[in-house]
Amino acid sequence: CMPPAVVHSGFEDHWDADQFHYIHHVKFECNYGGPLSAWMDIACGTFRDKLGASSEYRGAYRDDDEAVGKTARREWSAQSHLGVQSEDHLAYSIFCLGTAALLVYSVLRAGEGLPLPMPAQIVSALVAYGPIVVACLLSFGYDGMHWRWPFHRERIFGRFGLFVVAAWATCVVPIHHFVTLLCA
């Protein structure tokens, strides 16, 4: 239930991180799916096995660092993958693990006809909206980048807003309703 919200939260070093797809979040022109659909990226020449120069990538895009051989500081770097988590990433991981535990506990209790630890609507709201809200709150306190990075140049009431509404309608709302159904 949680992967769309968790994987697109902006926090890469948590328990549900998809490092294959995070290369897409850094480069935007590769690794469009997940690890199970990597064969499509390989067939189309858009597969990257790592950040930086990739012997696998056959696409046309070359960023400035690769073109001139510079090394620049990046928010996402090869050194951060599966490394020791920073305070904000650790807080996010703990929240996600706690939410997953609450979800499993609630579903098991509902399946046995026992009362839930909290109403099903609250459990479903925590699962569907919680990772997004916590990621936003943590980004305001810890992240030095704009809260909408890399879409900070887009107008809120334009393409960015349209995609936020589309993501909410196609990811968050169905997750909310599915978890409510599981806990009923």
Side-chain angles (χ1 to χ4, degrees):
C1 294
M2 293 175 59
V6 174
V7 174
H8 288 97
S9 67
F11 289 90
E12 68 184 31
D13 290 334
H14 54 80
W15 63 280
D16 197 30
D18 177 358
Q19 302 304 328
F20 174 87
H21 191 68
Y22 269 106
I23 295 175
H24 164 74
H25 288 202
V26 175
K27 298 288 189 175
F28 294 107
E29 65 359 297
C30 62
N31 297 12
Y32 291 100
L36 295 177
S37 62
W39 64 271
M40 288 189 276
D41 282 304
I42 292 169
C44 296
T46 57
F47 173 76
R48 277 190 187 262
D49 56 338
K50 61 183 178 181
L51 291 174
S54 170
S55 60
E56 301 289 330
Y57 180 68
R58 297 186 317 271
Y61 179 79
R62 300 286 183 262
D63 66 7
D64 293 337
D65 293 344
E66 292 173 8
V68 296
K70 292 184 195 175
T71 56
R73 183 189 173 280
R74 298 210 184 261
E75 289 301 314
W76 291 300
S77 68
Q79 292 79 25
S80 72
H81 295 301
L82 303 176
V84 177
Q85 294 186 344
S86 59
E87 294 172 350
D88 52 336
H89 288 233
L90 182 60
Y92 188 79
S93 293
I94 290 169
F95 172 81
C96 289
L97 286 171
T99 302
L102 174 65
L103 173 63
V104 170
Y105 181 69
S106 298
V107 169
L108 291 175
R109 290 195 52 99
E112 296 174 2
L114 299 171
L116 299 179
M118 59 185 62
Q121 289 293 333
I122 294 176
V123 173
S124 61
L126 277 172
V127 171
Y129 293 96
I132 299 165
V133 170
V134 169
C136 287
L137 291 173
L138 289 171
S139 73
F140 292 137
Y142 288 92
D143 199 351
M145 299 175 75
H146 193 278
W147 70 276
R148 288 189 297 137
W149 183 89
F151 307 105
H152 57 285
R153 293 192 176 118
E154 299 283 339
R155 292 188 343 236
I156 290 179
F157 297 106
R159 284 185 291 185
F160 178 78
L162 174 68
F163 284 109
V164 167
V165 170
W168 172 78
T170 59
C171 294
V172 177
V173 171
I175 290 170
H176 185 272
H177 288 294
F178 181 67
V179 172
T180 301
L181 181 67
L182 285 176
C183 292

